[in-house]
Amino acid sequence: MLSFLSSSLSNTRQTLAQVLNFALVLSTAFMLWKGLSVVTSSSSPIVVVLSGSMEPAFQRGDLLFLWNRSPRAEIGEIVVYNVKGKDIPIVHRVVRSFPEIEGKEKTVKAAPESSPNMLLTKGDNNAASDEELYARGQDFLHRKEDIVGSVRGYMPMVGYELAELIESPPEGITVELANESNLYEWKVLMDGPDGSPYHKGKFHLKLTLPTEYPFKPPTVSFVTKIYHPNVTNDDKGSMCLGMLKADEWKPSSRLAAVLQFARSLLEEPMPDDAVEGRIAEQYRDDRKRYEEIAREWTRKYAVGS
């Protein structure tokens, strides 16, 4: 009885320690993001370009760094703005500014200092300016109310594959950032394929990119528990994918192909490349029992998650 209580208390302490560590990581990331927001005076100091309307200046997937402490935005400046009622950041160039400014000292023409800075924007790759993108009845952007920030720096192509996967994900897969301040950790939701024992399950995976990506492979792990010969049967949920091995990875490989291959393993496991030998042996020798357990785990851990 005492040993049972001791074991229960130990497990409780471990669980609490894990929860506190997770909360510490989240709070640290949140504070860093909020700190950056305060310094830049922008609600979203880092954004990813999701469209081609600013090509060739910026490509889809470029990572932009914003600054929002300037009182005015000048003609030719590239800004990020949100449309009222829609949470979609748009990256376009200022083509007109009101009230206009003149002279070397850039004084405002016949307007008091309190006059709001109004802007008209346009995508470099678009034929017309942005009036149709603004909110109903809005002809100009308000510098203080609508602008998220002005572009002050960028990293080319860092988020290209993320933008591509969010816009056109493979069948049965959705992708988003696990934390919008960290471009290198993705949350993946994967539907169990039809005809497999994982059907009707929704599995949460974590895809982590090393800072040396694409020259080093990403790692893929299951957050949702799954009974599978190619996924470790522990809290890590590490997935064994041949194409992600250091000696087989190619920098030209696409993350969409990685996720499609991961989902294909739910239909056809690879017992010869297993990380769980017992499950692989069961898959080869007693397929019926293997599928029964896989379905049971799917109902228990992956349905409604």
Side-chain angles (χ1 to χ4, degrees), residues 208-210 212-219 243-247 249:
T208 305
L209 300 172
E212 300 89 348
Y213 177 83
F215 302 104
K216 289 189 177 181
T219 58
M243 66 185 300
L244 296 185
K245 293 180 179 178
D247 57 344
W249 172 255

Side-chain angles (χ1 to χ4, degrees), residues 1 16 18 44 53 75-76 94 113 131 151 171 207 210 212:
M1 182 65 178
L16 286 174
Q18 290 174 351
S44 184
S53 62
I75 294 175
V94 176
E113 293 182 1
E131 289 99 325
V151 178
E171 181 183 358
L207 187 149
E212 300 89 348

Side-chain angles (χ1 to χ4, degrees), residues 48-68:
V48 176
V49 178
L50 297 177
S51 76
S53 62
M54 279 302 293
E55 294 177 354
F58 296 122
Q59 307 287 329
R60 291 173 56 203
D62 288 354
L63 193 67
L64 307 182
F65 301 93
L66 308 184
W67 180 260
N68 200 34

Side-chain angles (χ1 to χ4, degrees), residues 253-279:
S253 299
R254 307 287 293 174
L255 293 176
V258 171
L259 295 177
Q260 286 175 313
F261 183 48
R263 189 165 186 257
S264 72
L265 281 183
L266 299 187
E267 294 184 89
E268 295 186 25
M270 300 178 65
D272 294 335
D273 198 19
V275 291
E276 290 291 343
R278 180 183 58 82
I279 300 178

Side-chain angles (χ1 to χ4, degrees), residues 7-47:
S7 176
S8 298
L9 289 172
S10 176
N11 290 336
T12 301
R13 283 195 295 268
Q14 289 177 0
T15 302
L16 286 174
Q18 290 174 351
V19 170
L20 290 174
N21 286 335
F22 182 67
L24 179 61
V25 171
L26 287 181
S27 61
T28 301
F30 178 76
M31 286 189 292
L32 288 173
W33 181 256
K34 284 299 181 182
L36 191 58
S37 296
V38 170
V39 170
T40 62
S41 190
S42 173
S43 59
S44 184
I46 302 174
V47 297

Side-chain angles (χ1 to χ4, degrees), residues 218-242:
T219 58
V220 178
S221 58
F222 273 74
V223 178
T224 304
K225 288 180 68 66
I226 184 171
Y227 190 80
H228 195 285
N230 301 112
V231 181
T232 58
N233 194 3
D234 56 18
D235 292 337
K236 294 182 179 180
S238 302
M239 190 172 202
C240 179
L241 295 175

Side-chain angles (χ1 to χ4, degrees), residues 190-209:
M190 183 176 295
D191 294 334
D194 294 347
S196 75
Y198 310 103
H199 179 49
K200 295 186 179 180
K202 186 173 287 290
F203 298 88
H204 175 191
L205 289 75
K206 181 172 72 173
L207 187 149
T208 305
L209 300 172

